[in-house]
Amino acid sequence: MTDTHLARRGLLAAAAATLALPAAAQRSWGPNAPPQRYPDPDIITLDPQRFRAAIGNTPIRRVYTGTLWAEGPAWHATGRFLVWSDIPNNEALRLNEEDMSVHRRFRSPSGFSNGNTFDREGRQIAFRHLNRDVARYEPDGRITVVAARGPDGAFNAPNDGIVHPEDGSIWFTDPGYGALVSYEGERAPEADNSPRPFIKEAIYRIDAQSGQVTKVADEPLKPNGLCFSPDYRTCYVADTGSTHYPQAQNIIWAYDVDGPRLRNPRNFANMALEQKTGFADGIRADVRGNIWSATSGGGDGYDGVHVFAPNGDRIGQIRLPEVTSNVCFGGSRRNILFMTASQSLYAVPVETRGAHFC
């Protein structure tokens, strides 16, 4: 065989390998990237009857890149801005809706905050790794520590949370990642011997009136993202326990909400997809009751966002070229899905709306 034939065979093999890659890995995401042909190939409809959020003439856009580990997107409806965390850089950033401009150091230092949300008064709530607490930013600039310990002692490192609009209570998870590595907080000496830094990983509720902290569930090995169903009768919790516990299942849990308590823990959705599996991280519900989950750990063609129907069936997927940490619905009509993914922030309009104000 001649050198020419060998070279041609090598080029064909390389081309075939490129075509075999998922579209998200092939396309250019830079600021000068060519326009994306519609429909966007990385918005995938798995069930046309139930996944009706895909829009045929809109692209996924990378609206910012340059973070180290992007997390915790939350939308402020009155201010018309998005806030999200860059945990290792110890800051929160802000995106303004009117011109899509991004501004760093919106919160700096941020206490290595992970998740963010807003309460009924529009005050930002941050779940801070370094301080191991839940903090609230007041209108006059003060920072109020809402909670730093629960019934079992000081928290590991609060991670993500939501506000119940009917009573203003704050529900949040405490998996402890910020106490396991200094890159995202401060590594605790206890982490040398256990993936559970201080206390059992759990889900908590802070009463808006009394400030009392109640542990409401601890079945997930590392509870992470959480959200309510549109009617607030169900609470969903992502379990990322497989990062540290070999026996962990890559699932999303579902609980019945019984006033200030969670009952009836059960497997809502399994994160395995064909021959790949990863885990759910941040999650949000839309007005139809579908659960939109940021996904990590599955590699190209898996990482991005998976969408589950109210019965737990996977009905849609958004592929991204980076490990994806969290999601939220924003924009003036809550119909833009914002996605934090490793070094970047992505956005895509969808034909649905977020079920809740943040």
Side-chain angles (χ1 to χ4, degrees):
M1 187 175 291
T2 66
D3 289 344
T4 302
H5 285 121
L6 287 172
R8 184 170 182 271
R9 175 174 288 185
L11 289 172
L12 290 173
T18 300
L19 290 172
L21 288 172
Q26 293 183 45
R27 66 195 279 183
S28 174
W29 293 92
N32 298 314
Q36 180 61 48
R37 182 179 293 277
Y38 296 148
D40 193 308
D42 292 308
I43 304 173
I44 302 168
T45 298
L46 300 176
D47 186 329
Q49 298 302 314
R50 290 184 288 178
F51 185 60
R52 293 173 286 164
I55 301 174
N57 59 345
T58 189
I60 306 166
R61 293 176 296 158
R62 177 191 271 164
V63 297
Y64 182 82
T65 192
T67 56
L68 290 176
W69 179 241
E71 254 285 7
W75 181 258
H76 192 288
T78 303
R80 295 175 57 201
F81 65 84
L82 180 87
V83 62
W84 81 98
S85 299
D86 183 356
I87 303 175
N89 273 323
N90 197 19
E91 67 171 314
L93 301 87
R94 181 183 63 194
L95 176 142
N96 292 326
E97 182 182 37
E98 55 266 33
D99 60 0
M100 297 297 284
S101 61
V102 172
H103 305 269
R104 292 189 56 190
R105 309 295 185 189
F106 177 62
R107 306 289 184 200
S108 177
S110 65
F112 288 76
S113 63
N114 187 328
N116 300 281
T117 191
F118 291 96
D119 66 12
R120 296 181 298 179
E121 287 73 44
R123 298 172 296 186
Q124 182 186 345
I125 309 293
F127 304 89
R128 304 193 297 182
H129 280 179
L130 182 64
N131 304 77
R132 296 169 52 198
D133 63 12
V134 178
R136 182 176 66 225
Y137 291 92
E138 307 293 354
D140 63 3
R142 292 180 298 112
I143 300 176
T144 299
V145 175
V146 182
R149 60 188 302 113
D152 298 330
F155 299 131
N156 295 309
N159 188 89
D160 203 358
I162 48 178
V163 173
H164 197 301
E166 293 181 359
D167 59 13
S169 58
I170 302 170
W171 303 60
F172 69 97
T173 58
D174 183 34
Y177 289 113
L180 293 174
V181 289
S182 294
Y183 185 65
E184 293 192 23
E186 186 63 43
R187 180 179 173 83
E190 290 82 355
D192 293 340
N193 301 312
S194 173
R196 179 181 300 167
F198 301 105
I199 58 176
K200 172 68 178 75
E201 302 94 333
I203 307 158
Y204 296 92
R205 176 187 182 272
I206 306 172
D207 187 87
Q209 302 304 317
S210 67
Q212 180 181 1
V213 179
T214 305
K215 182 165 70 173
V216 294
D218 64 1
E219 288 82 9
L221 291 180
K222 282 201 175 294
N224 204 308
L226 72 169
C227 71
F228 292 117
S229 60
D231 59 8
Y232 299 98
R233 294 180 179 178
T234 306
C235 181
Y236 302 95
V237 181
D239 193 343
T240 54
S242 61
T243 59
H244 288 81
Y245 296 106
Q247 73 273 27
Q249 300 181 75
N250 290 331
I251 65 172
I252 299 174
W253 294 78
Y255 292 84
D256 296 331
V257 180
D258 182 10
R261 294 174 293 275
L262 295 181
R263 300 189 185 279
N264 188 25
R266 57 197 182 274
N267 181 342
F268 165 70
N270 190 297
M271 298 308 297
L273 175 63
E274 297 176 348
Q275 302 302 313
K276 296 183 178 182
T277 187
F279 48 77
D281 199 333
I283 54 178
R284 288 292 184 268
D286 68 19
V287 292
R288 299 187 182 111
N290 300 317
I291 303 302
W292 297 64
S293 170
T295 55
S296 299
D300 290 337
Y302 180 95
D303 295 340
V305 177
H306 295 196
V307 187
F308 298 92
N311 71 342
D313 292 342
R314 185 184 279 101
I315 59 174
Q317 186 183 0
I318 297 173
R319 297 183 299 199
L320 294 179
E322 302 180 66
V323 169
T324 308
S325 63
N326 216 324
V327 296
C328 85
F329 292 95
S332 298
R333 296 190 291 170
R334 293 205 314 276
N335 66 340
I336 297 176
L337 183 72
F338 289 99
M339 301 161 280
T340 51
S342 305
Q343 301 161 59
S344 307
L345 174 72
Y346 296 85
V348 62
V350 290
E351 194 57 32
T352 188
R353 300 189 185 195
H356 308 120
F357 60 85
C358 179

